[in-house]
Amino acid sequence: MKVGKAGEFGLIARITARLPLGPAALLGPGDDAALVAVPDNRVVASTDVLVEGRHFRRDWSTGEDVGHRAAAANLADIAAMGAVPTALLVALCAPPDLDVRWAEELAEGLAEEAGLVGASVVGGDISSSPTLTIAVTALGDLDGRAPVRRSGARPGDVVAVAGRLGYAAAGYTILCRGFRSPKILVESYRRPQVPYHAGPEAAALGATSMIDVSDGLLADLAHIAEASGVAVDLRKDAFPVPVQMRDAAAALGVDPYTWLLAGGDDHALAATFPPEARIGADWLVVGEVQEGVPGVTVDGRPYGDGATGWDHFRS
Amino acid sequence: MKVGKAGEFGLIARITARLPLGPAALLGPGDDAALVAVPDNRVVASTDVLVEGRHFRRDWSTGEDVGHRAAAANLADIAAMGAVPTALLVALCAPPDLDVRWAEELAEGLAEEAGLVGASVVGGDISSSPTLTIAVTALGDLDGRAPVRRSGARPGDVVAVAGRLGYAAAGYTILCRGFRSPKILVESYRRPQVPYHAGPEAAALGATSMIDVSDGLLADLAHIAEASGVAVDLRKDAFPVPVQMRDAAAALGVDPYTWLLAGGDDHALAATFPPEARIGADWLVVGEVQEGVPGVTVDGRPYGDGATGWDHFRS
């Protein structure tokens, strides 16, 4: 059945039936607004939007995949502040000929990904639109911790990353070239594996700055460098190249470090820590913070052609 | 300049420059997430999306108008729970050829409308899209009050409304017919006048249920009737017909009660109160709650052809 036939309220009923409520959801869908517990007295909130053709393709990803990715992109922003996500709100704009099953799978993917951290979808909105669009807002709780911002990095801090780097970009390149494997890379593009717990852990360990790697490590660390007024230098040999990535890069004629250093969408976490911090095993030290002109270098030099970012209007 | 030329980060800078932060905004744009004060330990949250061609037209409304409407639709949902809005997050999907000035005006409209209640835009996201789309999430605080839901109406309660009814629908009809006046009706469509303060006031007065009138009074009261398991009967003569509306209706050959009872988008508030409640001057009593099959009648009878709702996929 198409969503245009199910109608707005029929579609809402089918979607909400797939959304179990988590412990923070005091009131879920069904009223003009949801109500979410905020024990900390301060709520962390972030919004990210996914547009078909821009952020996903229906021939590459199922509705469930897109649900996972839409949730992950937002939950990672909450973790990158040092907070634990509690709730999602979802605005779905769908063409009337969208299959209802796709929307149901989207809801299932959103709920599953949120469930990984004990969060749930508490509300949303649905509209018809020529362009399939999913806008998600995530809420989270700091549990008394100070928020970890982009602006706190200090010369002498170490730079560390948690989670996968380059997997999603490699998967994207593989799909663009018409292939479907290695599975681990393609699946990482479809459903990022986000180290959510590493965010609050970093905050507890005294992280001085943090960001989620959505645009690429160099671009995202450049945001930290600029906000903190520091230089960041990475050591290229600190980044292990996974064997599947090395092989795929060789087969496709790509430098794997382009994926590792400039690829986005894995939603790894990048943070800076005081040199004395006892960083856990989830974090890999990859560089250091220095005095200097704000920017990011690799082994002391600018990396590649400098085009390391991702502009949602230009790329 | 077009937004495609300004680029994602250029556009974000131009927009955030137009967004003063309110008292609840502990951290605004610039990090992975915002931080908002929630003195109550529970945050009220709601999402509403506006799609060009579906919810607004650029030849009928300026960017500032659309900003006001997008904010109002969301802030009204917070007020309808009995809460005071504190913050907005905004996802803007824009075609690359959108004029930067339009996006700036949108931000100004959002900020102005939020400022009416002391709220502010604390974060958001921007993406390119073929379809101009604005998804807004509003947060709010209950300040110790119980949330007012749709499900609490009881037989014997009075039904009351606060704010304008039918103005936006009349304005919409006028614009559809190619006219631009009466000004008060057209302006009500462009920028709804929402009685925000009446929401928390109703909660304090003991309202048993509440909803914001976005789909039309009959349709929205039907949500209350269904959620509460009650019948709602309205008195047609309780609704004054403003003189400009009466004249416009006569000129256009429209029954003005179609606008008053079935027109949406004014974001008036409709609530039920115990008969002994001392309802203030902001509220106009228009009917009563009865035992019976859930539904809404006018003077004891079904109104019109029964097609009183608004389905965002069908209408």
Side-chain angles (χ1 to χ4, degrees):
Chain A
M1 196 199 304
K2 307 299 182 190
V3 298
K5 182 140 187 269
E8 182 182 3
F9 296 107
L11 186 58
I12 289 173
R14 283 162 174 270
I15 286 177
T16 52
R18 284 164 174 79
L19 301 174
L21 291 181
L26 304 176
L27 291 181
D31 285 289
D32 280 19
L35 190 64
V36 180
V38 186
D40 181 87
N41 274 340
R42 302 168 298 171
V43 68
V44 180
S46 181
T47 290
D48 251 336
V49 64
L50 268 63
V51 179
E52 182 173 34
R54 189 93 207 149
H55 301 95
F56 66 91
R57 284 171 48 163
R58 268 185 277 171
D59 56 339
W60 285 359
S61 299
T62 65
E64 216 174 327
D65 291 335
V66 175
H68 276 274
R69 258 185 81 202
N74 282 275
L75 298 169
D77 282 328
I78 302 301
M81 299 299 286
V84 174
T86 53
L88 299 178
L89 295 103
V90 182
L92 169 63
C93 305
D97 68 351
L98 181 75
D99 211 89
V100 165
R101 186 70 203 124
W102 196 94
E104 290 172 345
E105 286 177 9
L106 175 79
E108 287 162 6
L110 287 160
E112 279 170 25
E113 189 72 21
L116 295 177
V117 289
S120 61
V121 179
V122 298
D125 190 23
I126 287 179
S127 176
S128 79
S129 169
T131 307
L132 181 56
T133 304
I134 300 123
V136 179
T137 298
L139 306 180
D141 193 79
L142 280 165
D143 194 21
R145 290 180 295 274
V148 185
R149 307 189 59 182
R150 298 180 180 178
S151 52
R154 293 167 304 196
D157 285 351
V158 298
V159 178
V161 295
R164 294 177 174 175
L165 287 174
Y167 283 63
Y172 178 78
T173 305
I174 289 162
L175 287 165
C176 284
R177 302 279 184 96
F179 301 108
R180 302 268 160 166
S181 64
K183 221 49 184 175
I184 190 174
L185 301 177
V186 171
E187 281 305 310
S188 287
Y189 165 76
R190 292 185 174 132
R191 302 187 186 189
Q193 304 289 310
V194 183
Y196 298 114
H197 66 281
E201 182 191 73
L205 289 167
T208 52
S209 73
M210 188 151 48
I211 193 166
D212 102 289
V213 182
S214 53
D215 294 344
L217 184 62
L218 294 172
D220 287 313
L221 284 176
H223 294 316
I224 282 185
E226 196 162 327
S228 301
V230 297
V232 167
D233 189 48
L234 302 177
R235 292 195 315 277
K236 192 173 172 184
D237 65 9
F239 295 89
V241 182
V243 61
Q244 296 99 330
M245 193 181 293
R246 191 193 59 203
D247 293 350
L252 298 171
V254 174
D255 176 354
Y257 288 97
T258 306
W259 290 334
L260 281 163
L261 297 175
D265 286 332
D266 282 299
H267 301 292
L269 298 175
T272 58
F273 295 90
E276 67 276 14
R278 298 168 59 87
I279 305 173
D282 292 323
W283 291 88
L284 176 70
V285 174
V286 295
E288 66 168 14
V289 179
Q290 301 169 344
E291 289 186 36
V293 179
V296 184
T297 50
V298 179
D299 297 330
R301 290 186 301 274
Y303 182 77
D305 60 0
T308 51
W310 171 265
D311 186 307
H312 283 105
F313 284 101
R314 285 178 179 156
S315 302
Chain B
M1 197 197 308
K2 306 299 183 188
V3 299
K5 181 137 188 275
E8 183 182 1
F9 297 107
L11 186 57
I12 289 173
R14 283 163 175 269
I15 286 178
T16 53
R18 285 166 171 78
L19 301 174
L21 291 180
L26 304 176
L27 291 180
D31 286 290
D32 280 21
L35 190 63
V36 179
V38 184
D40 180 85
N41 275 340
R42 301 168 299 169
V43 68
V44 180
S46 183
T47 291
D48 251 336
V49 64
L50 268 62
V51 178
E52 183 174 31
R54 190 93 208 150
H55 302 94
F56 65 91
R57 283 171 50 163
R58 268 186 276 171
D59 56 339
W60 285 359
S61 298
T62 65
E64 215 176 328
D65 291 335
V66 175
H68 276 274
R69 258 184 82 199
N74 282 276
L75 298 169
D77 281 329
I78 302 301
M81 299 298 288
V84 175
T86 52
L88 299 179
L89 296 103
V90 182
L92 168 63
C93 305
D97 67 353
L98 181 75
D99 212 88
V100 166
R101 187 68 206 124
W102 196 92
E104 291 173 345
E105 286 176 8
L106 176 78
E108 288 161 5
L110 286 161
E112 281 170 23
E113 189 72 21
L116 294 177
V117 288
S120 61
V121 180
V122 297
D125 190 24
I126 288 180
S127 175
S128 80
S129 168
T131 307
L132 181 58
T133 305
I134 300 122
V136 179
T137 297
L139 306 179
D141 194 80
L142 280 164
D143 194 21
R145 291 180 295 276
V148 185
R149 306 189 61 183
R150 296 179 181 180
S151 53
R154 293 168 303 196
D157 285 352
V158 299
V159 179
V161 295
R164 293 177 174 176
L165 287 173
Y167 283 62
Y172 178 78
T173 304
I174 289 162
L175 287 165
C176 284
R177 303 278 182 96
F179 301 107
R180 302 266 160 167
S181 64
K183 221 53 181 172
I184 190 174
L185 301 177
V186 171
E187 281 305 310
S188 288
Y189 165 76
R190 291 185 176 133
R191 303 187 185 190
Q193 305 288 311
V194 183
Y196 297 114
H197 66 280
E201 182 190 75
L205 289 168
T208 52
S209 73
M210 188 152 46
I211 194 165
D212 101 288
V213 182
S214 52
D215 295 343
L217 184 63
L218 294 172
D220 287 313
L221 284 176
H223 294 316
I224 282 185
E226 195 161 327
S228 300
V230 296
V232 168
D233 188 50
L234 302 178
R235 292 194 318 275
K236 193 172 171 183
D237 65 9
F239 296 89
V241 182
V243 61
Q244 297 98 329
M245 193 181 294
R246 190 194 59 203
D247 292 350
L252 298 171
V254 174
D255 177 353
Y257 287 98
T258 307
W259 291 335
L260 280 163
L261 297 175
D265 286 330
D266 281 299
H267 302 292
L269 298 176
T272 57
F273 295 90
E276 67 275 14
R278 298 167 58 87
I279 304 172
D282 292 322
W283 291 87
L284 175 71
V285 175
V286 294
E288 68 169 12
V289 180
Q290 301 169 343
E291 289 187 37
V293 179
V296 184
T297 50
V298 179
D299 297 330
R301 290 186 302 273
Y303 183 77
D305 60 2
T308 51
W310 171 263
D311 186 307
H312 283 104
F313 283 100
R314 285 178 179 155
S315 299

